[in-house]
Every structure is written in C-alpha cells, then in structure tokens.
Amino acid sequence: TSSSQSEESELMGGWYQGCKLLVLEEGQYIELVHANLYDMEKHENPSDPFRSSGMYKVGRDLEAGTYTVRNYSDQYTGHYTIYSSINCIAPITREGDMVSSGATAQIELYEGDYIEMKFCCLQP
C-alpha cells in the first residue's frame, strides 16, 4: 500500500514458466519485469494445464477432481503447489511436493483451488 522502498514487499518474485495468478486489491502497487498483466475476468488463461507449467484456477481453467501430476523434464525436478487462496499478502498453501524426473504424483483439486506447476503438468 506504499510506494516507499523500505515498505515495499515482493508479492511473488522469481522467473516462472507460463503464468502466475494473483489477486490485487485497491491501493496496492505492482511492478512487472519481463511480464504482462491481464485481467482474468476478461481474458482466457493462455496456458493449458495438461500441456505446460503455469498457474491455474480450478473451476475456471480445469474441473475439480483427481489428477496425476507428471514431470516432463529430463533435467529438472518438477514442483507443484496447491493454494486454497492466493491473497497476494499471504497465499494459503494447501499442499505441495516435488515430482522427480519422469515420475508422477496423485492429487485432488477442489473448486476454487489454484495449482501452480513448474516443470510438470496434469494428466486427467
């Protein structure tokens, strides 16, 4: 809520594959570097949770249900995080884990969850 350098906090930093979802509230500031910002109420998610890394909302980008997370990288360990809320000040993590190269993991996604995946994607 302040543009003062000493009071700034990094909402969600780092280089990510695909997209990253966040909720901005009135009065907050955001700085984008090497990124574009889209209103997801007006635009479709450009990524596909069954083909690429990224962040997706259950109920909008995919249906609730049981899925397999598959690592598609030969070089990197995949990682997924499931959030029940993505409030930019304190996102609530429900579950997360690593998926070794060539390995899979079973997960359950509920309506309203968000899933973020790096070097992995979903299988129905």
Side-chain angles (χ1 to χ4, degrees):
T1 60
S2 170
S3 61
S4 165
Q5 189 72 293
S6 63
E7 294 180 25
E8 274 185 4
S9 64
E10 192 171 293
L11 299 178
M12 297 177 185
W15 181 256
Y16 295 96
Q17 296 180 347
C19 62
K20 182 83 170 183
L21 301 175
L22 59 108
V23 175
L24 294 174
E25 296 177 12
E26 185 72 31
Q28 290 181 316
Y29 295 86
I30 184 168
E31 177 183 14
L32 301 172
V33 179
H34 304 292
N36 294 310
L37 184 65
Y38 296 98
D39 182 341
M40 294 305 288
E41 299 296 322
K42 298 176 183 174
H43 296 87
E44 289 187 29
N45 193 335
S47 301
D48 180 350
F50 300 99
R51 294 183 179 203
S52 62
S53 295
M55 190 168 184
Y56 306 93
K57 183 176 182 181
V58 179
R60 186 189 64 223
D61 301 316
L62 67 152
E63 306 255 337
T66 302
Y67 293 93
T68 300
V69 178
R70 176 183 57 85
N71 180 319
Y72 57 71
S73 174
D74 292 335
Q75 297 178 320
Y76 301 104
T77 299
H79 185 268
Y80 71 89
T81 304
I82 301 170
Y83 300 95
S84 58
S85 169
I86 58 168
N87 175 316
C88 61
I89 295 175
I92 299 171
T93 302
R94 184 169 65 75
E95 178 185 339
D97 206 353
M98 291 188 221
V99 184
S100 301
S101 181
T104 62
Q106 289 288 114
I107 61 168
E108 185 73 28
L109 295 175
Y110 303 102
E111 185 79 22
D113 279 350
Y114 296 83
I115 182 165
E116 179 180 17
M117 298 176 288
K118 299 172 190 163
F119 301 109
C120 52
C121 62
L122 297 178
Q123 290 179 280

